[in-house]
PDB file of all heavy atoms in Angstrom:
ATOM      1  N   GLU U 220      -0.456 -33.818  33.491  1.00 90.00           N
ATOM      2  CA  GLU U 220       0.057 -33.565  34.886  1.00 90.00           C
ATOM      3  C   GLU U 220      -0.550 -32.385  35.469  1.00 90.00           C
ATOM      4  O   GLU U 220      -0.925 -32.304  36.616  1.00 90.00           O
ATOM      5  CB  GLU U 220       1.578 -33.394  34.740  1.00 90.00           C
ATOM      6  CG  GLU U 220       2.262 -34.775  34.873  1.00 90.00           C
ATOM      7  CD  GLU U 220       3.709 -34.643  34.545  1.00 90.00           C
ATOM      8  OE1 GLU U 220       4.287 -33.422  34.635  1.00 90.00           O
ATOM      9  OE2 GLU U 220       4.410 -35.679  34.279  1.00 90.00           O
ATOM     10  N   LEU U 221      -0.536 -31.267  34.679  1.00 89.00           N
ATOM     11  CA  LEU U 221      -1.038 -29.906  35.085  1.00 89.00           C
ATOM     12  C   LEU U 221      -2.588 -29.993  35.430  1.00 89.00           C
ATOM     13  O   LEU U 221      -2.849 -29.480  36.257  1.00 89.00           O
ATOM     14  CB  LEU U 221      -0.832 -28.919  34.010  1.00 89.00           C
ATOM     15  CG  LEU U 221       0.707 -28.504  33.743  1.00 89.00           C
ATOM     16  CD1 LEU U 221       0.896 -27.469  32.834  1.00 89.00           C
ATOM     17  CD2 LEU U 221       1.355 -28.181  35.053  1.00 89.00           C
ATOM     18  N   ILE U 222      -3.249 -30.654  34.576  1.00 89.00           N
ATOM     19  CA  ILE U 222      -4.767 -30.758  34.852  1.00 89.00           C
ATOM     20  C   ILE U 222      -4.886 -31.556  36.093  1.00 89.00           C
ATOM     21  O   ILE U 222      -5.825 -31.188  37.029  1.00 89.00           O
ATOM     22  CB  ILE U 222      -5.547 -31.539  33.780  1.00 89.00           C
ATOM     23  CG1 ILE U 222      -5.419 -30.590  32.420  1.00 89.00           C
ATOM     24  CG2 ILE U 222      -6.869 -31.707  34.064  1.00 89.00           C
ATOM     25  CD1 ILE U 222      -6.027 -31.150  31.192  1.00 89.00           C
ATOM     26  N   ALA U 223      -4.142 -32.491  36.380  1.00 88.00           N
ATOM     27  CA  ALA U 223      -4.293 -33.418  37.595  1.00 88.00           C
ATOM     28  C   ALA U 223      -3.780 -32.692  38.866  1.00 88.00           C
ATOM     29  O   ALA U 223      -4.186 -33.082  39.951  1.00 88.00           O
ATOM     30  CB  ALA U 223      -3.448 -34.744  37.317  1.00 88.00           C
ATOM     31  N   ASP U 224      -2.818 -31.764  38.703  1.00 88.00           N
ATOM     32  CA  ASP U 224      -2.287 -31.026  39.902  1.00 88.00           C
ATOM     33  C   ASP U 224      -3.335 -30.292  40.560  1.00 88.00           C
ATOM     34  O   ASP U 224      -3.966 -29.290  39.937  1.00 88.00           O
ATOM     35  CB  ASP U 224      -1.144 -30.181  39.431  1.00 88.00           C
ATOM     36  CG  ASP U 224      -0.355 -29.525  40.528  1.00 88.00           C
ATOM     37  OD1 ASP U 224      -1.009 -29.236  41.545  1.00 88.00           O
ATOM     38  OD2 ASP U 224       0.867 -29.532  40.345  1.00 88.00           O
ATOM     39  N   PRO U 225      -3.733 -30.554  41.835  1.00 87.00           N
ATOM     40  CA  PRO U 225      -4.764 -29.941  42.484  1.00 87.00           C
ATOM     41  C   PRO U 225      -4.435 -28.366  42.640  1.00 87.00           C
ATOM     42  O   PRO U 225      -5.356 -27.558  42.537  1.00 87.00           O
ATOM     43  CB  PRO U 225      -4.850 -30.640  43.814  1.00 87.00           C
ATOM     44  CG  PRO U 225      -3.724 -31.323  44.054  1.00 87.00           C
ATOM     45  CD  PRO U 225      -3.091 -31.593  42.570  1.00 87.00           C
ATOM     46  N   GLU U 226      -3.206 -28.051  42.843  1.00 86.00           N
ATOM     47  CA  GLU U 226      -2.948 -26.645  42.989  1.00 86.00           C
ATOM     48  C   GLU U 226      -3.207 -25.803  41.718  1.00 86.00           C
ATOM     49  O   GLU U 226      -3.630 -24.729  41.668  1.00 86.00           O
ATOM     50  CB  GLU U 226      -1.459 -26.437  43.502  1.00 86.00           C
ATOM     51  CG  GLU U 226      -1.254 -25.490  44.437  1.00 86.00           C
ATOM     52  CD  GLU U 226       0.106 -25.288  44.983  1.00 86.00           C
ATOM     53  OE1 GLU U 226       0.672 -26.431  45.185  1.00 86.00           O
ATOM     54  OE2 GLU U 226       0.679 -24.309  45.112  1.00 86.00           O
ATOM     55  N   VAL U 227      -2.679 -26.378  40.557  1.00 85.00           N
ATOM     56  CA  VAL U 227      -2.908 -25.700  39.370  1.00 85.00           C
ATOM     57  C   VAL U 227      -4.382 -25.526  39.063  1.00 85.00           C
ATOM     58  O   VAL U 227      -4.850 -24.485  38.629  1.00 85.00           O
ATOM     59  CB  VAL U 227      -2.249 -26.517  38.125  1.00 85.00           C
ATOM     60  CG1 VAL U 227      -2.620 -25.976  36.824  1.00 85.00           C
ATOM     61  CG2 VAL U 227      -0.794 -26.590  38.352  1.00 85.00           C
ATOM     62  N   ALA U 228      -5.123 -26.740  39.265  1.00 83.00           N
ATOM     63  CA  ALA U 228      -6.545 -26.694  38.978  1.00 83.00           C
ATOM     64  C   ALA U 228      -7.243 -25.661  39.856  1.00 83.00           C
ATOM     65  O   ALA U 228      -8.105 -24.898  39.245  1.00 83.00           O
ATOM     66  CB  ALA U 228      -7.207 -27.965  39.342  1.00 83.00           C
TER      67      ALA U 228
END
Side-chain angles (χ1 to χ4, degrees):
Chain U
E220 279 169 12
L221 291 180
I222 293 175
D224 188 322
E226 217 174 318
V227 174

